[in-house]
Amino acid sequence: MNFYNLHIINDFILKKYELLSLNEIKNKKNFLLIKKKICIINEKQSLRTINTLINFLNFFNIKFTIINNKHNFKKENIKDFSRTLGILYDYVFFRSYNDIIIKLIAKFSGSVLVNMLSNNYHPIQSINDIFLLYNNCVYFFGDFNSNVFKSIIVNLTKINKYKTIIFFSPKKYWNYIFLKKIFNTKKIILSEKIIFLNKNVIIYNDVWFSMGENYFKKKINNLINFQINKKIFKILKIKKIFHCLPSYKKKKKYSEIEECIFESNYIFFDKQIIDKIIFLKSYFFISNKVFFNYYYY
């Protein structure tokens, strides 16, 4: 296992054996942490991902700095900003609008950079969830280009070798260029119509609108027929429903999932949150940088 100086910029960077090692080590080791200098750059609003990280750091009494000031990326030279981060911090956790900026900071800072979410990828969420989805038939509903959808496809196709991944999504959102990058595309089915299955499935759903997004009407018209509602339960045998929080509530009639389903026992986001904390512990533990110097006890 070798996470030496490993940035998690997107999901293509991780190998299958690394994903399996992360899962295997969960809850198996206790360790003491010697603290490193940590910076959290929170450019995008976050309900779950950043708060989970902060919860973990607080639990182990690890100090960290949060940077919320966006002017750094608009006015300062990105190389100089990156080098400044490298001098001040060992590790940078970055939630960003821009994948290019993430790559540049990783390249020029000298710090280990972990992508907590960007426009195209959500690796922390996907690495956490794939082992809850593992060995199940997974049905994705909504926008194929969702960052968490793309991240989960990349990682799930590495470990879910014999299971089918189905996308129930408008054709205009199908991303063939992205699919060509994935090793096992034969197990991915894209469809604008519900595919009937005689086995239990897990549905994975993402919000139609990100925090701060205001252009609703056009997207609602494209996605309204791909909503998770009571009709779906008459067609599919649903085992569980994963939802990348928060659910959009401003226009309940036009949200990605009906309120009664979101509040039902089919949703278990509490398990997703707890497992994310365990994943962060596992990742920190096996990092050979060392993410934290550790001692067995």
Side-chain angles (χ1 to χ4, degrees), residues 19 125-134 152 155-156 159:
L19 293 169
Q125 184 72 40
S126 74
I127 298 169
N128 170 65
D129 284 348
I130 56 171
F131 293 105
L132 299 174
L133 302 172
Y134 180 58
I152 289 176
N155 284 326
L156 199 56
I159 65 170

Side-chain angles (χ1 to χ4, degrees), residues 10 14 40 58 123 143 145 148 193 203-204 233 273 281 283 297:
N10 58 49
L14 291 169
I40 300 172
N58 285 333
D143 183 358
N145 290 298
V148 70
K193 296 181 180 180
I203 290 180
Y204 204 105
F233 280 76
I273 295 171
K281 177 181 174 182
Y283 175 70
Y297 71 92

